[in-house]
Amino acid sequence: MSMADDIETSETASVQVAVMRRRPALRVAMLTLGPILAAFVLSAVILMLVGVDPLKYYSYILQRGLFSGLGLEQTATRMAPLLFLCASLIIAFRAGIWNLGTDGQFLLGAVIAAATAPLLVGVLPGWLVLLVGFVLAALVGALWSILPALLRAYHGVNEIITTLMMSFLGVLFASVLVKLVFLDPATTVPQTRTLPVADRLPRLFDTSISSGLIWGLIAVIAVHLMMTRTAFGLRLRMVGANPHAAAHAGLSVPLLTMAVFALSAGFAGLAGASEILGVAGNVRADWNPAYGLMVIPLVFLARFHGIAAIILVFFYSAMLIGSESAARRLGVPQDFTLVLVASLLICLGLGEYIDHRMRQKEQ
């Protein structure tokens, strides 16, 4: 074989390698952007069926959520609890565990933070009041996951069922705590005591953006690095990928399973604390923003990648803020955002199915 043939063969091989490397990246991009675009188109069709111009609806969302100073500040503030929930779900999903109980863990963490922080004002320094609130919220969230964790770790019970049940109970229990145990006697509305604005998380610069945003960003990046760059994260991922192989390698599968639940639920509790200690200041009875279930499709679209999750949370937060303005101007219910989320879930599932079929054909 001549030198020219060798060079040609080498160039052909390098091109093939480059194509093989591009295919996964292209596939991931299509599986991420494709469901988003399809969900917006499907939602646009629904809007047209009810007599609303989808272009006006989406333009109001962009104007309010992205292209106005106040809207951007509100978008950034809304991101904080969603980022903590992203960190929670990235830990669980990368470890092969379906923690679908984040809403209950979120609310219980919020209630505990709202109940304890106002009582500590004036007793402890301001920074310590906030720290205690966050720590207690994380502990309560982790404790609420013990039962599903034990059942999964030692009896192999499907955690999808148990975490959903515990979430349902957690939402109801949080409301009971507000109405009976932590009720503010100075108000007629059933709610906890209110943390004064001056004692909440500080604002960033001269804006209304809560510094909870910074802690949420740190949480997502730290979790991403832990799960992808550390030996502990590798152990957690091994447990989810192949428990039998992990046990054969000498890892304590039950203890690592418990650790995944505790970390994931703890971050969900921190999400609740960031919302209360940074923005709301109290918890009203029957309050449930259902952030946990709304964040799930974002984490899947991001393919459990921290940076991608941050970008998607930013756009989703802008959509939440903008939809409130669009609802007032066009008479669309604010809950229409949930229709968009549902459309996103459907399109995401269809995208995964199509990708699975294509992989089977390639093999």
Side-chain angles (χ1 to χ4, degrees), residues 2-4 7 13 18 39-40 54 82 142 150 155-156 178 190 202-203 208 213 215 260 280 286 313 325:
S2 66
M3 184 178 295
I7 294 175
F40 276 100
L82 301 182
L150 289 172
H155 299 285
V178 172
R203 306 297 178 185
S208 62
L213 171 67
W215 296 111
V260 171
D286 302 321
V313 164
S325 175

Side-chain angles (χ1 to χ4, degrees), residues 114-337:
T116 56
L119 298 177
L120 297 176
V121 173
V123 178
L124 298 176
W127 65 270
L128 190 54
V129 171
L130 296 174
L131 179 60
V132 170
F134 273 107
V135 170
L136 289 178
L139 289 175
V140 168
L143 287 173
W144 198 248
S145 72
I146 283 182
L147 182 58
L150 289 172
L151 291 174
R152 164 66 189 263
Y154 293 99
H155 299 285
V157 177
N158 191 314
E159 72 277 7
I160 294 177
I161 299 172
T162 55
T163 53
L164 281 174
M165 290 176 61
M166 291 301 291
S167 181
F168 178 74
L169 291 174
V171 170
L172 294 178
F173 187 46
S175 183
V176 170
L177 289 175
V178 172
K179 293 178 180 178
L180 299 181
V181 181
F182 302 130
L183 181 66
D184 184 1
T187 62
T188 57
V189 178
Q191 66 180 40
T192 63
R193 290 178 172 83
T194 301
L195 182 68
V197 175
D199 295 305
R200 298 175 195 174
L201 288 171
R203 306 297 178 185
L204 295 179
F205 310 109
D206 294 327
T207 69
S208 62
I209 302 174
S210 169
S211 56
L213 171 67
I214 302 299
W215 296 111
L217 291 171
I218 292 173
V220 173
I221 294 172
V223 162
H224 176 75
L225 293 176
M226 180 191 76
M227 296 301 293
T228 58
R229 304 293 178 86
T230 67
F232 179 65
L234 176 61
R235 293 189 185 98
L236 297 183
R237 287 187 284 120
M238 284 182 61
V239 168
N242 195 329
H244 297 292
H248 185 71
L251 300 179
S252 177
V253 174
L255 289 180
L256 288 172
T257 301
M258 298 284 291
V260 171
F261 274 95
L263 287 171
S264 177
F267 274 105
L270 289 175
S274 70
E275 179 71 8
I276 301 306
L277 302 179
V279 181
N282 61 44
V283 175
R284 292 191 174 189
D286 302 321
W287 173 68
N288 180 19
Y291 287 154
L293 293 179
M294 287 192 291
V295 168
I296 289 175
L298 303 182
V299 174
F300 269 95
L301 284 171
R303 294 295 182 266
F304 314 146
H305 192 283
I307 304 302
I310 291 172
I311 296 172
L312 289 172
V313 164
F314 170 72
F315 284 107
Y316 182 69
S317 299
M319 188 179 68
L320 287 177
I321 297 300
S323 65
E324 297 173 0
S325 175
R328 290 192 299 269
R329 296 185 181 187
L330 299 176
V332 179
Q334 291 189 10
D335 292 336
F336 185 78
T337 307

Side-chain angles (χ1 to χ4, degrees), residues 36-69:
I36 294 175
L37 295 176
F40 276 100
V41 171
L42 181 58
S43 298
V45 172
I46 296 174
L47 286 171
M48 286 190 292
L49 291 175
V50 297
V52 176
D53 185 350
L55 294 179
K56 283 187 178 181
Y57 182 80
Y58 292 144
S59 66
Y60 284 143
I61 288 178
L62 292 175
Q63 290 173 13
R64 176 64 175 172
L66 292 177
F67 300 134
S68 70

Side-chain angles (χ1 to χ4, degrees), residues 4-51:
D5 292 335
D6 290 339
I7 294 175
E8 183 178 355
T9 302
S10 177
E11 289 178 348
T12 302
S14 63
V15 169
Q16 290 176 345
V17 170
V19 171
M20 291 177 65
R21 287 179 178 175
R22 287 195 201 104
R23 281 181 180 175
L26 180 61
R27 176 169 285 165
V28 169
M30 291 301 296
L31 289 175
T32 299
L33 298 178
I36 294 175
L37 295 176
F40 276 100
V41 171
L42 181 58
S43 298
V45 172
I46 296 174
L47 286 171
M48 286 190 292
L49 291 175
V50 297

